[in-house]
Amino acid sequence: FKFLSLDHAVIPERVTVLGDHAFMRANVTRVDLPEGLRKIGIGCFCDTPLASIRIPERVEEIGDGAFAGCIKMETCEFLGRAKIIPKLCFHSTSLTSIRLPATVERIQADAFTCCYQLRSLVVPASAIIEQWALDREMVRHDERDGWVTYRRRS
C-alpha cells in the first residue's frame, strides 16, 4: 500500500495483521480498521495525513513508529490490548489527549515526544514510562483509581 493516493481506506474484516510500512507516506486521511485486527506493523501509518484513528480492542501489538509523523492526527480512540507502546509510536502527532488501555505495562522512549498539542495523557499507574518517552513539558498531574494523568506544563 505504500505511496497510494486514497482518502479513505477500509481494511477488510478478515485482515488480522497490517504489515510493516503498509501505508507509509500514503495520502490516506481516514482508515477503518477491522475489529479482528491483532497487529499494526512498524511504521504502518508513518507520515500519513490521518486525522484520527480508532485502534480496535483485539490489537495486541503495535510496531515502532506506527503513527510517527502523522502531524494531522488529533484523536486516537485506543481500545486495544497492547502491553507496550513502542518507541516513536505517536512521535510528532497532533494528539490533544489520549487514554491508554489498562493493559499497557510499558511506554518506550520517544513514544510521545514532539507531540506539542498533547495536553492530557492518561496511563495505568502500574505502567513503566521509560526515560524520554514523553516531552519534558508533560508532568505527572494526578493519580486516581489506578490511573495517572500527565498534563502539559503551563
Side-chain angles (χ1 to χ4, degrees):
F1 295 109
K2 290 184 192 175
F3 304 107
L4 296 177
S5 282
L6 0 135
D7 283 326
H8 181 195
V10 178
I11 311 301
E13 283 300 320
R14 69 182 176 276
V15 173
T16 59
V17 174
L18 287 176
D20 296 349
H21 312 289
F23 286 89
M24 184 176 176
R25 296 191 186 114
N27 193 28
V28 61
T29 58
R30 184 172 160 209
V31 174
D32 294 345
L33 300 177
E35 290 304 316
L37 189 67
R38 295 191 179 276
K39 179 182 177 184
I40 299 172
I42 295 168
C44 188
F45 295 101
C46 180
D47 296 329
T48 63
L50 282 175
S52 65
I53 193 74
R54 180 183 177 277
I55 300 173
E57 190 175 332
R58 291 189 180 150
V59 172
E60 297 171 347
E61 184 179 347
I62 300 175
D64 294 351
F67 302 100
C70 294
I71 60 173
K72 294 184 179 183
M73 182 183 290
E74 294 181 359
T75 60
C76 175
E77 183 181 4
F78 200 136
L79 305 174
R81 300 177 186 162
K83 292 183 179 182
I84 296 173
I85 304 301
K87 60 185 176 182
L88 300 167
C89 189
F90 293 100
H91 176 80
S92 293
T93 63
S94 293
L95 289 172
T96 56
S97 67
I98 186 169
R99 181 183 180 105
L100 299 179
T103 55
V104 171
E105 296 173 357
R106 178 177 295 274
I107 302 172
Q108 293 184 332
D110 294 313
F112 290 97
T113 53
C114 298
C115 295
Y116 302 116
Q117 303 306 313
L118 189 60
R119 299 289 179 247
S120 175
L121 171 67
V122 181
V123 302
S126 59
I128 296 167
I129 300 176
E130 292 183 5
Q131 186 174 13
W132 312 118
L134 313 175
D135 284 330
R136 67 177 181 225
E137 291 85 17
M138 293 298 290
V139 294
R140 188 180 180 112
H141 176 73
D142 189 21
E143 182 173 347
R144 287 187 198 161
D145 302 322
W147 295 91
V148 175
T149 302
Y150 288 82
R151 297 209 188 271
R152 184 162 296 279
R153 190 178 317 175
S154 303

